[in-house]
Amino acid sequence: MQTYINRALAGKSLSGSKRTFTSRTNHLSKYMVYLGLAGLLISGSACDVLEHEPQAEVSEDMAISNLKGAQAALAGMYDQLQSGEYYGRNFQIMSDVSSDQAQSIGSWDFYREMDTYLLDKGNIENGNLWTRAYRAVNIANNILDQVPKLTEVTEDQKNSILGQAYFVRALAYFDLTRMYGGVPGVVGTLGVPIVTTPSRKVDASIFPSRATLQASYDHVESDLLKSLELLPEAHASDVLTRSQAVKSTSRALLSRFYLYVNKPERVIEFANQVIANPRYMLVSNFPNIYASKFTSESVFELNFNNADPSGIRTWYFPSTLGGRGDIAAHTGFYEKATADPKDIRGTMFGYNPGPKVYYPTKYQKAGNIDNIHIIRIAEVYLNRAEARAKTGDIPGALSDLNMVRSRAGATPITNLSGSQAVLEAIWNERNLELAFEGHSFFDLVRTGQALKSLVAVSRTNGPPVTLQDRNRQVFPIPTFDIDANPNLVQNEAYK
């Protein structure tokens, strides 16, 4: 059983179960309640992994056996993305507070550690994200292993299901790699453990090592290209087309991916294809992207409702409006976002008079039912703008940049010359346009700005902070996996 997916089912442990493994395996077993997750989700019954000695297994008869089971597995896979431990809250906030956009002002020390660059390898929120992403990987692996064997499912149905599994696995590995591995040519040499087979048993014999950083990015690329080959152009409805992967979803993520590996021609290739699709258009009224759901802006959007709420509003909104108010905008970022009175994005903030801080109002629906945008068409325009600037197409880069600025009401930029000046304008635009959507820290790192920009960043409830250690541009591998796996190497800053 691979140890990178070893802690799930929220806070439960195997500490009370009988084990006969070595002391290292006893530590490992404390966390390994996650195995066979897809089978558990699909069957609706709980196979008690605590009853097996010396190993626990999920029976093969819980495998995906028909179309209904495959669809249930897909739902379980997307549910991992929606979790508050992943895109339902955690991924965005971890990026926000690690950048110059947001700050931790409340009592939740796990986010404050990220905000002040004192992140500990035992940080709970960091461990939660790692675990949840690998849960998504494990379900995708189960789908990829079992769906090809189904005999009463059409080839088109199989391809759609398999394509979605490849896409989600690629997304999860992309997020894990840039968070825990780094960016080629900027920081990091090691990626993350890459597994492509389902985990269905607990045993102490398999302890995966981290792949190289390049191999991790290569795997993401391979999965994305495979998803593009298999996915349909659209699903049965517009909502499904925007909330579950289709070809344009993969193309859009590929346009982001190739920025990280510095292949601008490929960025342009895939961005062109998405932008040419009339399904995706910039919404003329920027706030409506968030006030409504599944607008033409949306390339990939996670849906939340009263029965399945997200948690991001709670963390930003003050207690007087039903939130926690633990996370706020950095005052410096608020001032930057509101500097242009014509820019409507500067109006999307509220003020919390208690701690005297501003907070974003992109997510403001009562009941925490705001949808989460993983990919918007505005990002694709900015991806292409950056790639065009890198290839010397300054007019094209400015055209894409000004498409986004003009939609927001901001004054177009026309007086720049030289690729570097244009790149900096595009990076600044990404910071404004994609604020509080999980991009800010990773954009700073991949563009080499983190150590230059995150200097003496003012905070409301503490002294200014600076990201001094270049090795803290990545997050630590969680303690539970490092302790359980002798082959897993910790990132340098956290040893």
Side-chain angles (χ1 to χ4, degrees):
M1 165 65 183
Q2 295 88 341
T3 63
Y4 36 83
I5 34 181
N6 52 8
R7 208 185 62 142
L9 300 188
K12 296 183 181 179
S13 78
L14 296 181
S15 56
S17 64
K18 298 179 181 179
R19 295 289 176 192
T20 58
F21 294 154
T22 64
S23 58
R24 180 175 293 279
T25 307
N26 286 333
H27 188 94
L28 168 66
S29 68
K30 179 178 180 181
Y31 303 106
M32 291 184 128
V33 293
Y34 170 5
L35 72 160
L37 180 64
L40 294 175
L41 288 170
I42 295 161
S43 70
S45 63
C47 176
D48 188 354
V49 299
L50 306 184
E51 295 178 352
H52 298 272
E53 186 180 359
Q55 68 177 214
E57 295 187 62
V58 174
S59 172
E60 289 292 335
D61 64 11
M62 301 178 74
I64 299 169
S65 59
N66 52 37
L67 179 59
K68 184 177 180 180
Q71 291 169 336
L74 276 181
M77 181 179 68
Y78 284 109
D79 191 57
Q80 304 313 305
L81 301 184
Q82 288 185 281
S83 167
E85 295 171 351
Y86 199 176
Y87 276 107
R89 157 180 61 90
N90 215 7
F91 188 87
Q92 296 89 325
I93 291 178
M94 287 173 68
S95 175
D96 292 350
V97 299
S98 298
S99 73
D100 55 358
Q101 285 189 356
Q103 56 182 321
S104 169
I105 64 167
S107 59
W108 200 241
D109 291 343
F110 303 109
Y111 287 141
R112 184 167 299 144
E113 288 180 3
M114 301 171 192
D115 184 18
T116 55
Y117 310 116
L118 298 173
L119 180 58
D120 183 79
K121 60 189 176 184
N123 185 288
I124 286 177
E125 295 296 358
N126 180 62
N128 285 343
L129 189 142
W130 168 277
T131 298
R132 188 64 64 170
Y134 271 116
R135 290 176 77 169
V137 167
N138 195 42
I139 299 178
N141 285 342
N142 273 275
I143 292 170
L144 294 172
D145 177 67
Q146 297 179 52
V147 167
K149 304 170 188 176
L150 301 182
T151 58
E152 297 182 1
V153 179
T154 68
E155 285 303 305
D156 286 346
Q157 290 171 328
K158 281 186 182 180
N159 287 343
S160 177
I161 293 167
L162 294 171
Q164 291 178 70
Y166 276 114
F167 174 83
V168 169
R169 190 171 73 177
L171 175 64
Y173 274 134
F174 187 21
D175 292 340
L176 288 164
T177 300
R178 57 191 175 137
M179 180 167 281
Y180 300 101
V183 179
V186 179
V187 63
T189 58
L190 290 177
V192 295
I194 299 294
V195 62
T196 57
T197 57
S199 297
R200 296 197 182 101
K201 64 172 67 176
V202 171
D203 88 28
S205 64
I206 300 177
F207 296 97
S209 301
R210 296 172 68 177
T212 66
L213 185 63
Q214 187 59 55
S216 296
Y217 276 98
D218 287 347
H219 184 81
V220 174
E221 180 181 31
S222 175
D223 272 0
L224 281 175
L225 292 174
K226 188 65 175 177
S227 73
L228 181 57
E229 174 189 332
L230 295 171
L231 285 167
E233 288 288 354
H235 292 304
S237 70
D238 187 64
V239 168
L240 286 177
T241 298
R242 299 183 193 278
S243 62
Q244 296 184 12
V246 293
K247 286 189 185 296
S248 287
T249 326
S250 291
R251 292 172 182 136
L253 190 57
L254 280 162
S255 79
R256 181 193 298 176
F257 169 83
Y258 285 120
L259 285 178
Y260 280 76
V261 297
N262 198 26
K263 293 184 178 181
E265 294 84 1
R266 296 286 270 168
V267 175
I268 294 169
E269 173 189 350
F270 288 107
N272 282 345
Q273 293 175 33
V274 180
I275 291 169
N277 189 332
R279 177 177 287 113
Y280 308 107
M281 295 181 292
L282 293 171
V283 171
S284 58
N285 180 13
F286 183 79
N288 197 50
I289 300 169
Y290 310 95
S292 301
K293 296 192 175 191
F294 301 112
T295 68
S296 64
E297 182 89 14
S298 175
V299 180
F300 186 38
E301 179 175 336
L302 297 179
N303 189 36
F304 294 88
N305 53 45
N306 288 322
D308 187 17
S310 64
I312 195 165
R313 176 193 183 276
T314 293
W315 287 81
Y316 277 106
F317 266 57
S319 59
T320 54
L321 296 175
R324 287 181 59 118
D326 273 44
I327 311 296
H330 272 299
T331 301
F333 180 74
Y334 167 78
E335 292 171 347
K336 176 181 177 180
T338 57
D340 182 351
K342 297 179 181 179
D343 192 333
I344 196 170
R345 295 170 300 194
T347 67
M348 298 188 69
F349 291 88
Y351 183 67
N352 187 349
K356 299 179 180 179
V357 294
Y358 295 91
Y359 57 93
T361 58
K362 278 187 174 181
Y363 313 105
Q364 60 175 302
K365 291 185 173 68
N368 291 298
I369 60 172
D370 295 280
N371 278 10
I372 299 295
H373 297 86
I374 297 181
I375 309 174
R376 291 196 284 117
I377 192 64
E379 182 203 343
V380 181
Y381 273 105
L382 293 172
N383 292 349
R384 189 172 71 175
E386 185 172 335
R388 282 176 162 177
K390 288 182 175 181
T391 57
D393 180 7
I394 301 305
L398 289 175
S399 175
D400 284 340
L401 170 63
N402 287 325
M403 284 281 291
V404 175
R405 288 183 59 79
S406 296
R407 186 271 296 277
T411 304
I413 295 174
T414 58
N415 58 348
L416 294 180
S417 61
S419 295
Q420 187 59 35
V422 175
L423 280 172
E424 289 175 4
I426 293 166
W427 296 338
N428 181 69
E429 196 65 28
R430 291 182 69 93
N431 196 26
L432 294 172
E433 175 70 21
L434 305 176
F436 311 108
E437 295 182 35
H439 295 270
S440 53
F441 181 69
F442 302 105
D443 275 346
L444 288 174
V445 172
R446 72 170 179 82
T447 58
Q449 299 178 90
L451 298 178
K452 302 172 186 177
S453 298
L454 302 176
V455 176
V457 180
S458 296
R459 300 180 66 256
T460 297
N461 62 348
V465 294
T466 297
L467 177 58
Q468 296 177 317
D469 186 346
R470 68 178 303 274
N471 292 313
R472 284 187 177 261
Q473 293 178 95
V474 296
F475 290 69
I477 307 296
T479 296
F480 56 78
D481 259 24
I482 291 292
D483 289 348
N485 183 351
N487 298 324
L488 201 56
V489 178
Q490 181 59 274
N491 286 323
E492 188 64 32
Y494 308 98
K495 290 182 178 178

